Amino acid sequence: MDEDYTLEDMGDKQTLLQGKSFEEKKVEELKPNLRKDIWDFILLVILYFLQGIPLGLALGSLPFLLKSKMTYSDMAIFSITNYPYSMKLLWSPIVDSFFNKKFGRRKSWIVPIQLCSSFFMFFFGGIINDKMDEKKIPIGFITAYFTIMVILSATQDIALDGWALELLSKENLSYASTAQTVGLNTGQFLSSTVFLAFNSAEFSNKYLRSKPSEYGVLQLGPYLKFWAVCYFLVTLYLIVIKKEKICYDVIESIKEVYKIMWKVIKLPRMRSFIVLLFIAKIGFVTNDAVTSLKLLEKGFKREDLSVTVLIDFPLQIIFGYYAAKWSSGKRPLRPWMWAFYGRIAAAILAMFVVKFFRIPENGEISSGYFILIILSTVLSSFMSTVQFVSIGCFFARIADPTVGGTYMTLLNTLSNLGGTWPRPLILEGVDVLTDYGECQGLSSDIQGITCKTSDGRHDCISNGGQCEIISDGYYNISIVCIILALLSLFLFIKKEVRNLETTPKHYWEIPKDKDEKEKD
């Protein structure tokens, strides 16, 4: 129990020992009833789903599509597209305080953002295939486009997180995280697993065509155009049909919202919570960012990888729902803690899966080893989903609805940043710590390319070759990350999680100024 707590603040001795305020007890008495908010819940799922479409491409499909023509150092450049989603806190006060009252506080942002997203997807859908077919992919252009798309999705996420707190009743706030999980995961699933499968010539020729072709049945350009139309139709619904409640208790000064954001950061428990969110994902980033790429590099087929995620996807949805229920009790972060152990185990298992992966002479891996890869993928993804939902439920529980968008965005941003900031360093580190040999698989008219330098590796891959790996830096980076995860867990995270769970609700509320108290 924090030494700053007093009986006067907590109400009475019994409440102090239980670690709950009267308001929290009252909220706990309300039983969730999703039927009450079912249509608003469905709308949230659809909007989060659309938000997941460009994110699934930027964070899922494109790294796999680009890997055959790019080095890990090039991939580190493309990973810049992850940053806007983790830096949205910088402009969240603008989204929270600048809007048209008549049109709606959240619709004032969601509607124009979806229209812009629709335009960019349709426009770039007409030129992106030509760019991807170039011998030397213009990584600057591809990175810039998807960075713009991620910025739009991140800005929509700010408004949508705030709207979720207003659309759902108090007793159903835990389902806001469920809506986000189901919607985002489904959108990302379609843009990564399903798209990769249908984009694969091997998968299309094997399952979908009678006559083989060098291209998959679904190309990136038409895929972007299709979703551009879907974005536009949903936006029409928001403009014409969906009405938003007028919020009167709103701070309209952007400067004031930034001040409030600073007040949130200065809350007694918030500072240690920020540290936890910033370091909690270090141990898992190598597994999340590199393991699948390493399997592809060693010969695992892209369509087989899609099958593993296809099996994993329904489990994410099912357990995402139950994770929300598990997180609504007295120990809301208990699922998050159990999943932390699970992700460490998944990261260790992933190293062995990659280490002992071999492609037989017939080109088909054994069913036993394929099942092992599926188990490794499902374990990692399932634990990640449980952590995501659990921490999201905790955010919704403690967020002050006065500045709900900014408050939720602050917490979500810090959580996302914990998995984003190490990613470029890890991708670059894998390249630096790997000992490369000669460039193999080049045509006879191309000679003299070495993989000892970054430029040489880039030239080798650009010309259709493959760099021989003598010792792989992936294992070194993975071991370091796992050790850091274990140290942070036992020296800081376990104790901090327990303190967070026993912190009373009003300690997360923004303190009022003297003038505001006098008005009350």
Side-chain angles (χ1 to χ4, degrees):
M1 191 64 62
D2 196 294
E3 60 184 8
D4 293 336
Y5 297 168
T6 64
L7 288 175
E8 182 180 357
D9 290 335
M10 300 292 289
D12 56 44
K13 187 174 181 179
Q14 183 179 3
T15 306
L16 174 63
L17 293 174
Q18 292 178 350
K20 297 185 183 71
S21 65
F22 173 76
E23 289 80 4
E24 282 180 282
K25 289 181 178 180
K26 190 174 180 180
V27 171
E28 285 184 358
E29 291 173 359
L30 297 173
K31 294 183 179 179
N33 180 17
L34 188 56
R35 291 182 181 179
K36 179 180 178 181
D37 300 318
I38 187 63
W39 293 111
D40 288 329
F41 176 80
I42 291 173
L43 176 62
L44 287 173
V45 170
I46 292 172
L47 292 174
Y48 278 121
F49 167 78
L50 292 178
Q51 186 180 309
I53 295 298
L55 291 178
L57 291 172
L59 311 183
S61 296
L62 264 295
F64 292 109
L65 296 178
L66 297 173
K67 183 63 187 77
S68 61
K69 296 184 178 181
M70 297 170 63
T71 66
Y72 283 104
S73 297
D74 295 327
M75 299 299 293
I77 295 174
F78 183 76
S79 68
I80 293 173
T81 57
N82 297 351
Y83 273 86
Y85 210 78
S86 299
M87 301 300 292
K88 57 189 176 182
L89 176 65
L90 298 177
W91 62 92
S92 65
I94 300 175
V95 178
D96 236 7
S97 57
F98 184 73
F99 55 90
N100 184 294
K101 278 187 178 180
K102 292 183 179 179
F103 191 61
R105 183 184 185 187
R106 307 306 179 183
K107 284 173 58 178
S108 294
W109 286 93
I110 294 174
V111 167
I113 285 170
Q114 291 209 150
L115 289 175
C116 288
S117 298
S118 178
F119 168 77
F120 276 109
M121 291 174 112
F122 196 86
F123 175 76
F124 282 99
I127 62 175
I128 195 73
N129 283 349
D130 292 336
K131 299 292 183 182
M132 295 291 291
D133 288 338
E134 291 182 17
K135 182 178 180 181
K136 188 173 183 179
I137 293 179
I139 185 61
F141 172 83
I142 302 293
T143 301
Y145 166 65
F146 281 100
T147 299
I148 291 172
M149 293 304 302
V150 173
I151 288 174
L152 291 172
S153 292
T155 306
Q156 177 169 323
D157 191 61
I158 298 169
L160 199 50
D161 284 346
W163 203 9
L165 297 179
E166 298 159 9
L167 281 174
L168 301 179
S169 306
K170 280 188 177 181
E171 63 266 31
N172 290 324
L173 280 180
S174 62
Y175 287 109
S177 182
T178 304
Q180 187 179 37
T181 302
V182 173
L184 272 177
N185 282 357
T186 305
Q188 291 179 335
F189 170 75
L190 284 177
S191 285
S192 55
T193 305
V194 175
F195 174 76
L196 282 174
F198 283 74
N199 181 259
S200 167
E202 291 83 359
F203 181 89
S204 299
N205 293 336
K206 186 175 181 179
Y207 298 106
L208 304 175
R209 287 197 182 107
S210 56
K211 295 182 179 180
S213 172
E214 60 178 319
Y215 297 105
V217 296
L218 182 60
Q219 296 300 299
L220 183 57
Y223 185 78
L224 286 172
K225 287 185 176 182
F226 171 80
W227 287 113
V229 175
C230 293
Y231 262 76
F232 184 74
L233 293 176
V234 173
T235 307
L236 282 182
Y237 167 80
L238 293 177
I239 295 172
V240 178
I241 299 176
K242 181 61 180 177
K243 305 298 180 184
E244 185 177 347
K245 297 176 183 178
I246 298 176
C247 297
Y248 296 99
D249 186 19
V250 174
I251 298 169
E252 299 183 26
S253 168
I254 296 175
K255 183 178 179 181
E256 186 63 26
V257 177
Y258 275 107
K259 286 183 179 179
I260 289 174
M261 186 170 66
W262 180 242
K263 289 180 181 179
V264 172
I265 294 174
K266 293 197 298 182
L267 290 172
R269 273 282 173 232
M270 187 60 70
R271 283 164 288 186
S272 56
F273 193 20
I274 289 173
V275 175
L276 183 147
L277 294 174
F278 196 71
I279 67 172
K281 297 181 182 178
I282 292 176
F284 323 130
V285 175
T286 305
N287 184 25
D288 294 342
V290 186
T291 297
S292 296
L293 297 178
K294 278 295 172 183
L295 287 173
L296 291 176
E297 188 178 88
K298 296 186 76 170
F300 192 61
K301 295 180 180 179
R302 204 168 67 190
E303 56 270 25
D304 290 338
L305 185 65
S306 298
V307 171
T308 65
V309 183
L310 181 65
I311 295 171
D312 168 60
F313 174 69
L315 296 177
Q316 287 191 44
I317 301 301
I318 295 169
F319 288 108
Y321 169 79
Y322 283 105
K325 299 194 73 168
W326 298 336
S327 302
S328 60
K330 297 178 181 179
R331 297 285 308 278
L333 291 177
R334 178 180 287 177
W336 187 90
M337 277 300 305
W338 282 110
F340 194 100
Y341 291 106
R343 293 187 79 177
I344 291 176
I348 295 172
L349 177 60
M351 283 195 298
F352 286 97
V353 168
V354 174
K355 178 68 175 177
F356 296 105
F357 180 77
R358 297 289 186 275
I359 292 292
E361 293 183 1
N362 62 6
E364 298 293 333
I365 63 173
S366 66
S367 58
Y369 203 88
F370 187 65
I371 291 173
L372 179 62
I373 293 176
I374 291 175
L375 290 175
S376 175
T377 303
V378 169
L379 177 63
S380 178
S381 182
F382 165 59
M383 293 300 171
S384 177
T385 298
V386 172
Q387 277 203 316
F388 178 81
V389 175
S390 180
I391 202 72
C393 291
F394 187 72
F395 292 164
R397 174 180 289 200
I398 67 175
D400 190 333
T402 307
V403 282
T406 296
Y407 206 121
M408 288 289 288
T409 299
L410 168 65
L411 298 173
N412 281 314
T413 296
L414 293 169
S415 181
N416 291 333
L417 191 59
T420 300
W421 71 264
R423 189 175 290 250
L425 298 177
I426 284 171
L427 287 167
E428 184 70 28
V430 169
D431 228 5
V432 171
L433 295 179
T434 298
D435 185 12
Y436 290 99
E438 298 300 319
C439 181
Q440 301 175 338
L442 293 175
S443 59
S444 57
D445 58 329
I446 302 176
Q447 298 295 332
I449 296 179
T450 177
C451 290
K452 297 295 184 182
T453 64
S454 179
D455 290 340
R457 290 193 292 275
H458 189 277
D459 290 340
C460 176
I461 294 173
S462 297
N463 286 282
Q466 187 173 3
C467 290
E468 177 190 9
I469 295 178
I470 299 174
S471 64
D472 200 333
Y474 162 76
Y475 304 107
N476 300 328
I477 294 289
S478 293
I479 292 170
V480 169
C481 287
I482 291 169
I483 291 174
L484 289 175
L486 291 171
L487 289 174
S488 63
L489 174 64
F490 293 109
L491 296 179
F492 174 71
I493 291 176
K494 286 185 68 176
K495 180 181 178 181
E496 181 58 25
V497 164
R498 189 61 181 145
N499 289 336
L500 290 170
E501 290 178 324
T502 56
T503 300
K505 168 70 174 176
H506 71 267
Y507 268 76
W508 298 105
E509 294 174 354
I510 300 167
K512 293 184 179 180
D513 296 330
K514 291 182 179 180
D515 294 340
E516 294 178 89
K517 289 181 178 179
E518 289 175 2
K519 289 180 182 179
D520 294 339

